[in-house]
């Protein structure tokens, strides 16, 4: 792989920040689309990878407590675990969640 001159790479970064498509950037800079895409990926790696989705209802501490109760034989199933953990939670959970 041939090294890209720093001024050309800076031009690609500038165009990416201006929200120009990869194809148009490749045409303007006379680079391949894959090269432009790789530069874009390098920029995106610096961003924080945020996990999406709904927050968990059970904290790690609550999960550990339930697992401990089940492994020691004090609880036998999810319904018992739900009845055990719900009084300590601000929002009750179902046996399916447990």
């Amino acid at each position: 792989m041939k090294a890209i001159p720093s001024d050309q790479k800076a031009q690609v970064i500038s165009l990416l920040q201006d929200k120009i498509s990869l194809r148009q950037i490749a045409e303007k800079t006379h680079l391949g689309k894959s090269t432009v895409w790789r530069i874009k990926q390098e920029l995106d790696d610096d961003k924080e990878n945020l996990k999406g989705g709904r927050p968990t209802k059970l904290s790690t501490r609550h999960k550990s407590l339930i697992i401990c109760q089940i492994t020691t034989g004090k609880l036998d199933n999810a319904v018992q675990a739900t009845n055990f953990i719900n009084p300590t939670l601000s929002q009750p959970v179902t046996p399916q969640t447990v």
Side-chain angles (χ1 to χ4, degrees):
M1 203 168 22
K2 194 166 58 169
I4 303 165
S6 60
D7 60 331
Q8 198 171 24
K9 189 171 182 177
Q11 182 184 10
V12 170
I13 291 171
S14 173
L15 293 170
L16 284 169
Q17 290 171 342
D18 290 341
K19 306 284 187 205
I20 297 177
S21 75
L22 297 179
R23 183 179 53 82
Q24 291 171 335
I25 294 172
E27 288 173 1
K28 286 182 181 183
T29 59
H30 304 292
L31 293 171
K33 286 188 289 186
S34 60
T35 303
V36 175
W37 181 82
R38 192 172 55 249
I39 294 170
K40 181 181 182 302
Q41 289 301 108
E42 289 174 9
L43 290 176
D44 290 344
D45 284 345
D46 295 339
K47 294 180 182 175
E48 183 180 336
N49 189 6
L50 299 175
K51 180 184 173 195
R54 181 182 176 98
T56 181
K57 287 188 174 185
L58 292 173
S59 68
T60 306
R61 181 178 170 274
H62 288 121
K63 290 176 187 177
S64 298
L65 187 59
I66 291 170
I67 291 170
C68 181
Q69 293 292 315
I70 290 174
T71 54
T72 58
K74 295 178 182 174
L75 300 174
D76 293 326
N77 55 41
V79 174
Q80 290 177 354
T82 303
N83 293 335
F84 169 76
I85 203 70
N86 271 343
T88 63
L89 299 174
S90 59
Q91 291 184 330
V93 294
T94 64
Q96 186 176 1
T97 303
V98 172

